[in-house]
Amino acid sequence: MFLSVAYPAVAYDRYLGLVPPETTEELLSIADELKELRIVHLNSTAIGGGVAEILQSLVPLTTGLGIATERIVINPPPQFFQVTKRIHNLLQGAEGTLSPKELEIYFQSIQNVAEDLRRRHVFADAWFLHDPQLLPMARLLPREFDETWIWICHIDLTTPNRGVLDTLLPLTKDYDRLIFSLESYVPDGLGETPSIFIAPPAIDPLAVKNIPLDRDRALKLVAAMGVDPDRPLVTQVSRFDLWKDPWGVIDAFRLARESVPGLQLGLLGLSQAADDPEALDVVASVTEHAAGDPDIHIYFDAVGLPTTIDEVVNAFQVASEVVIQKSLREGFGLTVTEGMWKGKAVLGGNVGGIRIQIENGVTGYLVDSSEECASRIVELMQDPDLRSRMGEAAREAVRERFLMPSLALDYLKVVKAHVMPPSVSAPSQNGYRATKKHALA
């Protein structure tokens, strides 16, 4: 019912020079305090989606810091993912309810995983359970000793389906700590316990999709995939999901092309999450909306790529004059961070975690409609100096706040707060807003 994913440790000195010195100093200090602990991260899919991407870098980093860290991926039956995709959509504001049968599938699947974990003697000093798929685990997995249980919610809970939220909210009481990406995602009704912390996600600057890529190489790769390297390109890299609004991106592109002759659009969803059963239907709908337009390049199938998925993503972001992430809901939006790290002006939906990344008019633009998105595309395409200034500011913003060592530091602070509670809470030292209840001290 689960798979343990092994990673070789990554030496921290590879990050030196990429993150602020104060981040390095604080991270190395707290890692030394916690080096006797064992940490386990649980999530629902091995590849695809932001959580999987975070863990494939975070686990080897914390291991390299001297903390024994393991990643476990659950392997429930397909109907579990049908239910949890509905839960995901409902928690982000979709209408509907969960049937008794759906709740039975949800809880029984996690019960089976919990029993398997104990049967195979998996223990940890600190458990990190990621997203609603794993939420019931702390209730269903009996504690064998003084374990710390932490639930991380990566999704946008700004306007949840209240009925479904009220059904699931009691499960949070079984955790010692809760982590949300933004303070605005913390739902009403949690009370004073468990303790709440704010820790936005981050990207790994050492990952293939984020390491420096020569523009000539990038242009050759996009050309191999059918894009004209001599004409301007805008791109959205995103799962094919209704909340990512690929239809609205197409509409914005078509409006912008009226003022930017030869403009091309790339829609990349090559890393679909295994726990997203709706993707094929979305792809079919988006393809129909594109109506065979030769300047709209839709990529869903990774078969026949000229190189790895990650290098293709890197190439499209580097080759694009503007990067788009026009989400309608967004827990954070790692593809926004990726584009900013590459020195691109990014257009993001004015929602959720995108708002804490893009400083409107400084590191990119926040947009509320396809029309506004189109207008900003045209503005940026016609002003290369503006694109360059925004891109430089965007890269520096990511360096200071949204690289993997900063996230590792936040998570270890949460562990320390439970294992070695501070006598006095203090403001976060890495620029993130603390909740009214607890800071990452």
Side-chain angles (χ1 to χ4, degrees):
M1 293 299 294
F2 68 87
L3 171 68
S4 178
V5 184
Y7 299 98
V10 172
Y12 186 77
D13 59 9
R14 296 185 61 193
Y15 290 94
L16 295 176
L18 295 174
V19 297
E22 56 270 23
T23 300
T24 291
E25 181 180 352
E26 191 175 6
L27 178 57
L28 294 180
S29 175
I30 196 171
D32 186 62
E33 293 182 74
L34 302 178
K35 63 184 178 182
E36 300 302 322
L37 300 185
R38 169 176 163 76
I39 292 174
V40 173
H41 289 268
L42 266 75
N43 80 300
S44 63
T45 179
I47 59 173
V51 175
E53 198 165 298
I54 287 169
L55 293 180
Q56 68 188 16
S57 295
L58 180 67
V59 171
L61 170 57
T62 51
T63 301
L65 290 168
I67 301 172
T69 311
E70 182 180 5
R71 178 187 175 195
I72 291 175
V73 179
I74 66 172
N75 185 32
Q79 58 265 34
F80 171 81
F81 293 121
Q82 295 285 346
V83 173
T84 56
K85 181 62 179 180
R86 285 207 70 226
I87 290 173
H88 176 95
N89 289 338
L90 290 163
L91 288 177
Q92 292 202 147
E95 295 183 357
T97 59
L98 292 171
S99 69
K101 180 62 176 178
E102 287 173 318
L103 289 170
E104 179 185 354
I105 292 170
Y106 180 49
F107 283 100
Q108 187 59 56
S109 297
I110 296 300
Q111 178 71 61
N112 293 341
V113 175
E115 292 174 356
D116 201 18
L117 285 167
R118 285 308 189 220
R119 185 165 53 248
R120 292 164 64 174
H121 305 290
V122 179
F123 299 97
D125 297 288
W127 294 82
F128 285 86
L129 292 300
H130 292 263
D131 270 339
Q133 294 93 329
L134 275 298
L135 181 55
M137 184 64 74
R139 177 165 298 184
L140 299 175
L141 188 64
R143 301 194 187 203
E144 298 291 336
F145 59 97
D146 188 20
E147 300 171 302
T148 298
W149 286 84
I150 302 162
W151 181 61
I152 307 173
C153 182
H154 296 277
I155 65 175
D156 184 343
L157 293 181
T158 306
T159 56
N161 180 308
R162 193 70 218 188
V164 174
L165 181 65
D166 289 344
T167 298
L168 300 180
L169 209 58
L171 296 170
T172 63
K173 301 298 183 182
D174 299 290
Y175 288 87
D176 302 298
R177 299 288 190 265
L178 305 177
I179 298 177
F180 296 87
S181 298
L182 278 74
E183 187 172 347
S184 61
Y185 291 173
V186 180
D188 296 332
L190 285 179
E192 294 299 320
T193 56
S195 300
I196 298 165
F197 296 83
I198 303 302
I203 62 167
D204 186 1
L206 305 182
V208 171
K209 68 161 61 177
N210 295 318
I211 60 175
L213 181 67
D214 181 82
R215 182 169 171 82
D216 287 342
R217 166 71 174 166
L219 290 173
K220 288 179 181 177
L221 287 174
V222 300
M225 295 183 64
V227 173
D228 185 345
D230 297 320
R231 293 161 51 200
L233 174 68
V234 296
T235 295
Q236 175 160 300
V237 178
S238 207
R239 291 182 294 111
F240 284 97
D241 179 289
L242 65 91
W243 299 111
K244 311 299 183 181
D245 195 22
W247 305 273
V249 175
I250 290 174
D251 293 341
F253 160 76
R254 285 173 168 155
L255 287 171
R257 184 173 54 180
E258 294 175 5
S259 300
V260 185
L263 187 64
Q264 301 171 97
L265 171 65
L267 290 173
L268 274 75
L270 297 171
S271 297
Q272 287 297 134
D275 59 353
D276 186 357
E278 296 177 350
L280 289 176
D281 291 338
V282 174
V283 171
S285 176
V286 171
T287 301
E288 182 179 0
H289 194 63
D293 189 326
D295 291 334
I296 300 175
H297 304 274
I298 299 172
Y299 304 99
F300 176 77
D301 192 342
V303 175
L305 294 181
T307 182
T308 64
I309 291 175
D310 284 349
E311 192 175 22
V312 166
V313 169
N314 197 345
F316 268 85
Q317 290 169 332
V318 169
S320 295
E321 278 70 30
V322 175
V323 171
I324 303 170
Q325 186 57 59
K326 194 192 165 300
S327 299
L328 305 175
R329 297 282 191 279
E330 190 63 71
F332 185 69
L334 291 173
T335 57
V336 172
T337 332
E338 292 164 7
M340 293 172 67
W341 180 241
K342 295 174 178 68
K344 300 295 178 178
V346 180
L347 303 180
N350 187 15
V351 296
I354 298 178
R355 289 176 179 152
I356 67 168
Q357 297 190 69
I358 296 177
E359 184 179 354
N360 195 38
V362 178
T363 60
Y365 286 118
L366 298 171
V367 298
D368 290 295
S369 66
S370 294
E371 292 76 14
E372 185 178 6
C373 185
S375 175
R376 293 303 191 185
I377 291 172
V378 173
E379 178 183 357
L380 288 166
M381 295 300 298
Q382 294 177 346
D383 193 341
D385 289 340
L386 177 61
R387 293 203 308 269
S388 179
R389 290 196 305 272
M390 281 190 167
E392 290 175 7
R395 181 176 171 86
E396 181 59 21
V398 172
R399 189 185 80 85
E400 292 178 354
R401 301 183 63 196
F402 301 122
L403 294 180
M404 194 58 63
S406 293
L407 182 62
L409 175 58
D410 274 355
Y411 282 6
L412 293 182
K413 283 180 177 180
V414 176
V415 174
K416 180 182 175 182
H418 187 70
V419 176
M420 296 176 281
S423 56
V424 180
S425 293
S428 168
Q429 298 183 35
N430 59 5
Y432 300 146
R433 292 185 300 147
T435 70
K436 297 175 182 177
K437 299 185 178 102
H438 289 81
L440 289 174

